[in-house]
Amino acid sequence: MIVMKFGGTSVGNPESIRNVCRLIEKNIARRPAVVVSAVSGVTDMLLRLAGTAAATGAEITQIRNKHQQIISDLALDKHLLDQVYEHLLKDLAFIAESLRLTKRMQDKIASYGEKLSVRLVSACLDSMGLKSRFFESPDIGFVTDEHFTEAEILPETYSLIPSKFRCDDAIPVVTGFIGRTIDGDITTLGRSGSDYTAAILGSALGAEEIQIWTDVSGVK
């Protein structure tokens, strides 16, 4: 088994996502587990939304349009992300009503980028005839302390993941960057948190290799 982590620019547009899925397909014999970041730029957009929601309410049109364009270009189900959008709107409404933004709510809003992208990549794999299954990392054992925005993984994570992570013969596609406290609150692992997620997943599952894929200007 190997872990393949793809950053935001690697899933930043339809062609990039197709390339990611082709790379996964090429490595199918090595039983890849995939970790993905949010689509490039989306985490910053979400944080701006969180920051303005308390004062002015919030529109998610730009984020929705960005993802729906990818869905259209990849010929995926146009309702693929509807449930995620609904939950995001509810959380933004909560911030607006409370008139304050806590770090706990900031993390919850920031987590939506990965929740959206993991569904895109999984659906693209399925459209190519490659059976996949997406996972939100908190649901497979990523437990953290309560240092919101820069949470640290708790030791029990390494035993929880093997007991909770079941993907049968499907390619698992896992959200990077996010975890959950013992009390159930969503946390984020800080910037470059998806690399951290990949390292933890690989260690917990005894992967033979952890690959960090990224697009860097001037390097191919």
Side-chain angles (χ1 to χ4, degrees):
M1 176 193 173
I2 62 171
V3 174
M4 302 177 73
K5 180 265 175 178
F6 296 95
T9 54
S10 295
V11 295
N13 58 61
E15 189 54 37
S16 294
I17 291 175
R18 286 192 191 96
N19 288 337
V20 161
C21 292
R22 293 183 191 115
L23 283 168
I24 294 167
E25 183 177 27
K26 286 180 181 178
N27 285 274
I28 198 75
R30 301 183 71 187
R31 297 189 302 118
V34 180
V35 174
V36 296
S37 298
V39 169
S40 181
V42 167
T43 300
D44 288 337
M45 294 164 67
L46 286 165
L47 290 174
R48 286 195 295 271
L49 277 177
T52 59
T56 63
E59 295 290 339
I60 64 165
T61 302
Q62 188 177 2
I63 291 173
R64 186 192 295 267
N65 288 347
K66 190 178 185 74
H67 289 86
Q68 291 305 118
Q69 186 61 57
I70 292 173
I71 284 172
S72 177
D73 290 351
L74 293 177
L76 304 177
D77 178 3
K78 66 180 181 180
H79 298 296
L80 175 67
L81 304 178
D82 284 0
Q83 190 174 54
V84 185
Y85 297 142
E86 289 174 11
H87 291 160
L88 173 58
L89 281 170
K90 288 179 181 178
D91 286 333
L92 288 169
F94 175 84
I95 295 171
E97 290 168 7
S98 64
L99 298 179
R100 62 190 294 263
L101 175 63
T102 63
K103 284 191 173 182
R104 180 179 69 83
M105 284 306 299
Q106 180 178 315
D107 268 2
K108 193 171 185 183
I109 298 300
S111 73
Y112 280 101
E114 275 71 16
K115 291 178 182 179
L116 292 163
S117 66
V118 78
R119 287 164 170 80
L120 290 176
V121 174
S122 180
C124 185
L125 286 168
D126 288 341
S127 74
M128 294 169 59
L130 302 170
K131 182 181 177 183
S132 71
R133 181 180 174 189
F134 68 83
F135 297 87
E136 295 182 10
S137 46
D139 295 334
I140 59 168
F142 279 76
V143 184
T144 75
D145 61 22
E146 297 182 355
H147 291 154
F148 296 102
T149 75
E150 293 184 355
E152 286 292 335
I153 292 293
L154 297 182
E156 51 263 46
T157 294
Y158 294 94
S159 59
L160 284 170
I161 291 173
S163 68
K164 289 176 172 286
F165 190 62
R166 296 286 184 271
C167 54
D168 303 317
D169 60 342
I171 300 168
V173 185
V174 181
T175 56
F177 184 54
I178 59 179
R180 181 183 288 145
T181 68
I182 296 295
D183 292 333
D185 292 321
I186 293 295
T187 58
T188 65
L189 308 181
R191 292 297 179 156
S192 299
S194 293
D195 291 358
Y196 192 15
T197 301
I200 293 161
L201 185 66
S203 177
L205 297 177
E208 64 178 277
E209 185 174 279
I210 300 167
Q211 302 176 354
I212 308 295
W213 292 82
T214 188
D215 290 332
V216 179
S217 179
V219 178
K220 295 186 177 179

